[in-house]
């Protein structure tokens, strides 16, 4: 490792330490969430893939569909060349609506039902899912604080972001969006109920199309060509099958891990919608069209959940 690379790692490490000192509560929360995810994944992994090949296979197919949809949306950016900001905000609003509805109908409600059945108590069941919800929020809040990334309108965020190329900052931002979506797909198939997994994977794949398109267009603002931007945006979708493996792994081994995982995935997605997507769509004066897009996405997901569930 050359001296330049060593200096970059040292600067990033120092920036992480400074960030942790500035936000100690967030750092502790991220540590707790990561330990919970790792513990659930490792401990469940001993039994999760033993006799559960069909669930793992379906989770990978669902995550692969999300990747393919992201790639399709990204490649659309090459053909369409330019899309108005109002249209982009409407499409992202649509994606946000689908994510919110998926969190409610495909994650939280089935999670509550499963937790109530396992605990035999409504209060304990609700507490189990709320625990997962809190872990999902802590996970995404910590990753948002400690991962250098960039959004088109708000600019660079996170530690040492001024030293990192803008292209990588955009890629990290998309990774923060795609990871919880992939985890949600994996959790959806972990219970073996195709009525939960298929509508959820379908909804996330549909909303990945406008998301992939928006990311490719945003990458072009960094000076990349249309084709290069589309390829990078498409590659970012690889996080979805990876996240799906994490989701199915951490939710399969223990009975209560399933509703906890449902709550965690829902919390992570709701955080991304509220913290990232909705503010992005409301910064350019297109609040009405973005909100209508959100309502349309919510309605589509609610329909899919009813029709396919």
């Amino acid at each position: 490792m050359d001296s330049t690379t060593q200096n970059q790692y040292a600067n990033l490490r120092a920036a992480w330490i400074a960030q942790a000192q500035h936000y100690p509560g967030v750092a502790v929360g991220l540590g707790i969430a990561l330990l919970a995810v790792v513990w659930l994944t490792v401990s469940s992994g001993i039994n999760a893939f033993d006799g559960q090949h069909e669930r793992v296979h379906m989770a990978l197919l669902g995550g692969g569909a999300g990747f393919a949809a992201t790639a399709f949306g990204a490649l659309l950016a090459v053909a369409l060349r330019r899309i108005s900001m109002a249209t982009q905000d409407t499409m992202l609003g649509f994606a946000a609506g689908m994510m919110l509805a998926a969190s409610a109908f495909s994650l939280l409600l089935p999670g509550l039902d499963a937790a109530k059945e396992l605990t035999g108590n409504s209060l304990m069941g609700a507490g189990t899912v709320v625990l997962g919800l809190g872990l999902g929020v802590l996970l995404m809040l910590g990753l948002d604080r400690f991962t250098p990334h960039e959004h088109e309108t708000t600019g660079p965020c996170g530690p040492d972001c001024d030293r990192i190329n803008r292209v990588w900052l955009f890629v990290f931002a998309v990774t923060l969006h795609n990871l919880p979506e992939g985890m949600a797909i994996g959790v959806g198939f972990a219970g073996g109920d195709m009525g939960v997994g298929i509508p959820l994977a379908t909804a996330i794949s549909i909303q990945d199309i406008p998301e992939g398109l928006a990311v490719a267009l945003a990458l072009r603002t960094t000076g990349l060509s249309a084709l290069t931007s589309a390829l990078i945006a498409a590659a970012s979708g690889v996080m979805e099958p990876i996240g799906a493996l994490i989701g199915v792994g951490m939710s399969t081994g223990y009975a209560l891990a399933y509703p906890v995982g449902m709550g965690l995935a829902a919390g992570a997605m709701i955080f991304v919608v509220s913290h990232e997507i909705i503010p992005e769509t409301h910064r350019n004066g297109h609040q009405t069209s973005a909100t209508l897009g959100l309502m349309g996405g919510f309605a589509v997901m609610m329909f899919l959940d009813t029709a396919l569930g």
Side-chain angles (χ1 to χ4, degrees):
M1 185 183 297
D2 58 40
S3 59
T4 302
T5 304
Q6 288 179 337
N7 288 334
Q8 289 175 341
Y9 279 121
N11 290 332
L12 185 57
R13 185 166 57 250
W16 276 335
I17 294 173
Q19 196 83 336
Q21 292 172 340
H22 190 64
Y23 300 104
V26 176
V28 171
L30 176 61
I32 292 172
L34 287 176
L35 283 174
V37 171
V38 170
W39 179 76
L40 285 171
T41 303
V42 173
S43 59
S44 298
I46 298 173
N47 301 315
F49 301 106
D50 183 18
Q52 306 293 342
H53 300 297
E54 182 180 355
R55 297 180 187 182
V56 175
H57 179 66
M58 292 301 295
L60 281 175
L61 285 178
F67 165 67
T70 301
F72 176 70
L75 292 174
L76 278 179
V78 178
L80 297 177
R81 295 292 175 178
R82 182 171 179 80
I83 299 177
S84 69
M85 186 59 68
T87 302
Q88 291 185 52
D89 288 340
T90 302
M91 290 190 301
L92 284 177
F94 181 86
M98 294 201 74
M99 290 175 70
L100 285 176
S103 299
F105 298 113
S106 296
L107 291 173
L108 291 178
L109 291 180
L112 287 168
D113 290 339
K116 181 180 178 181
E117 183 177 346
L118 288 169
T119 61
N121 184 286
S122 298
L123 183 62
M124 288 292 293
T128 300
V129 177
V130 169
L131 172 64
L133 191 76
L135 288 173
V137 173
L138 288 175
L139 177 66
M140 296 312 299
L141 179 61
L143 291 177
D144 181 74
R145 290 290 189 190
F146 290 94
T147 303
H149 59 285
E150 178 169 349
H151 300 285
E152 187 177 7
T153 54
T154 57
C157 308
D160 213 31
C161 56
D162 56 332
R163 299 175 182 269
I164 301 176
N165 186 283
R166 286 190 70 200
V167 174
W168 284 110
L169 291 176
F170 271 117
V171 171
F172 291 150
V174 179
T175 300
L176 290 177
H177 284 205
N178 286 345
L179 179 61
E181 294 171 8
M183 289 175 64
I185 291 173
V187 171
F189 285 109
D193 185 356
M194 297 299 105
V196 173
I198 290 177
L200 185 58
T202 301
I204 289 177
S205 298
I206 291 173
Q207 64 89 28
D208 275 335
I209 296 175
E211 198 170 78
L213 174 60
V215 170
L217 293 174
L219 281 169
R220 288 173 60 178
T221 66
T222 65
L224 295 175
S225 67
L227 181 58
T228 302
S229 297
L231 291 177
I232 293 175
S236 69
V238 171
M239 285 307 301
E240 298 223 7
I242 293 175
L245 275 180
I246 295 173
V248 74
M250 73 179 188
S251 305
T252 307
Y254 296 109
L256 277 178
Y258 177 62
V260 170
M262 299 282 264
L264 191 151
M269 288 217 298
I270 293 171
F271 180 90
V272 168
V273 170
S274 177
H275 191 68
E276 304 286 354
I277 300 180
I278 291 178
E280 288 282 340
T281 62
H282 284 215
R283 286 193 180 101
N284 305 302
H286 308 130
Q287 296 92 327
T288 300
S289 57
T291 300
L292 291 175
L294 185 147
M295 297 304 299
F298 194 96
V300 168
M301 177 55 210
M302 186 168 60
F303 176 81
L304 288 174
D305 187 76
T306 302
L308 301 178

